[in-house]
Amino acid sequence: MKLINKTVEHVIKYISEAVFSEKFARNKDGFLQKLDPRIKIIGLIILVITTVSIKHIEVLIFLYLLSLVFCILSRIPLLYYIKRVWLFIPLFTGIIVFPVIFLTPGHPIYVILKKPYYIAITYEGIKYAILFTLRVATAISYTVLITLTTRWDEIMKALNSLGVPDIVITIMTLAYRYIFLLLNNVLEMMYSKKSRLCRNLKLKESWIIAGKSMGALFIKTQRMGEDIYYAMLSRGYSNEPRIFTNFKVKYYDIIFLCFIILISSISLGYDRLIL
């Protein structure tokens, strides 16, 4: 029973967060929301590439603070944004890079073991771990800004106009739209199973039910994919999505892009200067 309750809780939470983030994208009073999606994506991707190329912590901190400024100007709750960025991926990256603290040669800060193997926490190892984690967090921050301040259909239109292959646009569009339908199927399965239970299940029984539900969901997903494809063919689909682009670049879009290029150039130049 606990497994079913947790599954239902997490599915509802995921759907509500997705809808809540769509609310930010529809707020036309925000700074990033007003920009042309193509210019916005290009500018933020430039910042992501710049972040990956930076090798000094102080420059990464500056770029991360810039993402927080964009968040505030776009009228996104700061705490919600920080939690969305740091909740999983940078934390997971920090766990992965944790052994580097002990394996990187350099000036020892604390010696853990001398014999038979020398193991010590080094200054260079800690510095690299912080640098790597902060680099990933900053890059993800700008990626999250794109998804929070741009509706999914606008992202697809912008990517299509920037030359992304049609088949990629089709796959991403269908995946985004029908993942919510599949989550709704999961909720229906969990609620129906819960309504038929008269007692709390043991751990083994819960896992058996979960396995059967996953198998049933996989079969439903496969059938749904085939039905969708045949329905698209019957309506004239020819492997090319029809996206009507009506974007128009304005003067503040150009100013924003020039500002991003300037910031990236200064950051890279300063990073090379102190190298």
Side-chain angles (χ1 to χ4, degrees):
M1 184 68 74
K2 290 183 178 180
L3 181 62
I4 295 176
N5 291 335
K6 287 185 178 180
T7 303
V8 172
E9 178 184 350
H10 286 298
V11 170
I12 294 176
K13 183 179 179 181
Y14 179 84
I15 295 176
S16 62
E17 285 184 355
V19 174
F20 193 52
S21 62
E22 184 79 9
K23 174 184 175 182
F24 299 137
R26 296 181 181 276
N27 183 9
K28 296 303 181 181
D29 294 330
F31 172 70
L32 292 178
Q33 290 89 329
K34 294 180 180 179
L35 297 174
D36 185 297
R38 297 169 296 177
I39 301 298
K40 184 194 320 182
I41 291 175
I42 292 173
L44 295 181
I45 287 179
I46 290 174
L47 288 175
V48 170
I49 296 173
T50 303
T51 298
V52 174
S53 305
I54 295 300
K55 298 180 180 179
H56 289 84
I57 295 176
E58 53 267 35
V59 184
L60 285 175
I61 292 175
F62 166 74
L63 291 174
Y64 180 71
L65 292 177
L66 180 63
S67 71
L68 297 182
V69 172
F70 284 150
C71 171
I72 295 173
L73 293 177
S74 301
R75 301 193 177 185
I76 300 172
L78 191 59
L79 182 60
Y80 172 83
Y81 174 71
I82 293 175
K83 287 171 59 178
R84 195 177 181 91
V85 171
W86 285 94
L87 186 61
F88 175 70
I89 299 180
L91 181 62
F92 185 68
T93 304
I95 295 175
I96 293 177
V97 81
F98 181 72
V100 176
I101 299 175
F102 308 97
L103 301 177
T104 303
H107 179 70
I109 297 178
Y110 180 77
V111 178
I112 300 177
L113 185 65
K114 292 184 177 180
K115 296 181 179 180
Y117 303 103
Y118 181 77
I119 301 177
I121 300 175
T122 63
Y123 171 79
E124 287 77 9
I126 293 178
K127 183 178 179 180
Y128 180 81
I130 295 174
L131 176 69
F132 187 80
T133 304
L134 187 59
R135 181 185 294 160
V136 173
T138 306
I140 292 173
S141 298
Y142 289 112
T143 306
V144 170
L145 278 176
I146 295 176
T147 59
L148 287 179
T149 60
T150 315
R151 299 201 311 268
W152 185 256
D153 58 326
E154 291 182 345
I155 294 177
M156 293 298 101
K157 289 180 181 179
L159 292 177
N160 185 255
S161 63
L162 292 174
V164 176
D166 293 338
I167 187 64
V168 176
I169 299 296
T170 302
I171 293 173
M172 294 177 65
T173 302
L174 291 176
Y176 179 79
R177 289 183 180 276
Y178 284 94
I179 191 172
F180 294 102
L181 183 58
L182 291 176
L183 287 174
N184 186 58
N185 288 337
V186 172
L187 280 177
E188 292 178 353
M189 292 168 60
M190 293 296 103
Y191 281 135
S192 63
K193 187 65 66 176
K194 185 178 180 181
S195 65
R196 289 168 173 79
L197 292 177
C198 301
R199 61 181 177 85
N200 291 329
L201 298 177
K202 297 180 180 179
L203 181 62
K204 183 178 180 179
E205 294 174 324
S206 299
W207 282 109
I208 291 174
I209 291 178
K212 292 180 179 179
S213 300
M214 290 174 63
L217 182 63
F218 176 78
I219 294 173
K220 283 186 176 182
T221 304
Q222 187 178 21
R223 290 179 179 175
M224 182 185 299
E226 293 179 354
D227 293 341
I228 292 170
Y229 179 68
Y230 289 131
M232 292 169 64
L233 289 180
S234 66
R235 288 163 175 80
Y237 176 67
S238 58
N239 295 328
E240 294 182 0
R242 296 183 179 180
I243 300 178
F244 301 96
T245 306
N246 54 0
F247 297 136
K248 185 178 180 181
V249 178
K250 300 179 181 178
Y251 71 93
Y252 49 80
D253 296 315
I254 303 299
I255 295 175
F256 172 77
L257 187 58
C258 292
F259 172 76
I260 295 299
I261 294 174
L262 178 62
I263 290 295
S264 299
S265 302
I266 293 175
S267 300
L268 290 172
Y270 182 77
D271 187 69
R272 299 295 182 270
L273 183 62
I274 62 178
L275 185 60

